């Protein structure tokens, strides 16, 4: 199939780590992305990883890529209330004419006190 | 920073009207995209353009058309709006093999 799949909901306690998982299908994808969408807003690029990397860390964010299993994860350390949002996993694909990005359905992260 | 600007945050139109959604980017990007976002369905690609006057259908083009007369502007057109086109519409732009940058979205309601 052509889907990028991720679970729809995740609830974590404030201060804990959040781990959002994603599976993709195209082994030739060059980049994989994580976007964040806050209520009423567009998508904000959080981070991305090139397909020849296993891990990328940026402050509280850690991206892990397992190419063999086509599995991507986003870990948010010390989760805060401001992290409440929908997180979209996406992969790049080369179409006949342009690069397209295929999005998952998004994971809604909620933070409980 | 890349700036993608959508002309309206909220829009209310009536069934049968012709509706224009405008998107402008300031980074000289070749590629521009229109998506709609609906609960539980994620983002679905309507149309994209990889050059001026060039367009290609995405996954759900029915009921829509697009126009790209200038590189910085990509317009989405609902020829005859219907209630099932009530949605959040998101525009994005990118250079080849780079991440897409999104506008803030237009929430369109068709009455």
């Amino acid at each position: 199939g052509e889907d990028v799949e991720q679970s729809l909901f995740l609830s974590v306690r404030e201060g804990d780590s959040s781990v959002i998982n994603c599976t993709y299908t195209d082994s030739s994808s060059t980049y994989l992305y994580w976007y964040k969408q806050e209520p009423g807003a567009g998508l904000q690029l959080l981070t991305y990883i090139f397909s020849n990397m296993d891990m990328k860390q940026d402050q509280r964010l850690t991206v892990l890529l397992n190419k063999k299993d086509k599995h991507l994860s986003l870990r948010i350390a010390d989760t805060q209330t401001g992290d409440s949002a929908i997180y979209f996993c996406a992969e790049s694909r080369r179409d006949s004419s342009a690069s397209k990005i295929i999005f998952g359905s998004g994971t809604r992260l909620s933070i409980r006190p | 920073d890349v700036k993608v600007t959508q002309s309206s945050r909220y829009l209310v139109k009536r069934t049968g009207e012709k509706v224009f959604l405008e998107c402008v980017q300031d980074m000289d990007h070749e590629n521009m995209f229109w998506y709609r976002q609906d609960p539980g369905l994620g983002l679905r690609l309507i149309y994209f353009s990889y050059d001026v006057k060039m367009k290609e259908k995405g996954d759900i083009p029915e009921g829509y058309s697009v126009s790209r007369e200038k590189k910085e502007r990509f317009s989405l057109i609902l020829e005859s709006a219907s209630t099932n086109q009530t949605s959040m519409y998101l525009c994005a732009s990118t250079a080849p093999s780079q991440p897409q940058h999104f506008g803030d979205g237009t929430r369109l309601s068709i009455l």
Side-chain angles (χ1 to χ4, degrees), chain B residues 83-110:
Chain B
T83 54
N84 63 12
Q85 292 178 309
T86 291
S87 187
M88 171 75 126
Y89 289 86
L90 291 163
C91 174
S93 76
T94 183
S97 301
Q98 294 298 310
Q100 290 185 0
H101 296 270
F102 283 82
D104 287 333
T106 297
R107 190 167 292 281
L108 176 64
S109 297
I110 307 297

Side-chain angles (χ1 to χ4, degrees), chain A residues 2 8 30-31 33 35 37-45 48 86 88 92 94-106 108, chain B residues 9-10 31 33 35 37 40-43 45 48-50 56-59 88 90 94-105 107:
Chain A
E2 294 193 357
L8 290 180
T30 50
Y31 288 97
Y33 307 97
Y35 284 86
Q37 185 181 35
E38 296 180 352
L43 273 68
Q44 169 198 357
L45 178 67
Y48 62 95
I86 301 175
F88 290 90
S92 64
R94 182 73 193 177
D95 190 80
S96 58
S97 52
S99 293
K100 290 168 64 175
I101 296 185
I102 310 299
F103 290 86
S105 296
R108 184 179 295 275
Chain B
R9 290 297 303 275
Y10 302 94
N31 302 333
F33 304 80
Y35 297 87
Q37 183 182 16
L41 297 177
L43 273 73
L45 182 62
F48 65 100
S49 168
Y50 54 92
E56 287 209 17
K57 293 179 180 179
D59 301 317
M88 171 75 126
L90 291 163
T94 183
S97 301
Q98 294 298 310
Q100 290 185 0
H101 296 270
F102 283 82
D104 287 333
R107 190 167 292 281

Side-chain angles (χ1 to χ4, degrees), chain A residues 56-68:
Chain A
K56 181 178 180 181
Q57 186 152 5
D58 182 4
Q59 299 182 331
R60 292 192 296 122
L61 304 179
T62 304
V63 178
L64 294 177
L65 175 61
N66 181 329
K67 280 198 74 173
K68 175 175 167 290

Side-chain angles (χ1 to χ4, degrees), chain B residues 9-44:
Chain B
R9 290 297 303 275
Y10 302 94
L11 207 53
V12 180
K13 297 291 182 181
R14 295 205 173 274
T15 303
E17 281 193 69
K18 189 169 185 176
V19 181
F20 293 85
L21 302 184
E22 306 287 349
C23 176
V24 176
Q25 49 94 2
D26 65 357
M27 284 301 293
D28 202 35
H29 284 165
E30 290 87 348
N31 302 333
M32 296 187 75
F33 304 80
W34 274 106
Y35 297 87
R36 64 178 282 177
Q37 183 182 16
D38 301 289
L41 297 177
L43 273 73
R44 293 183 291 167

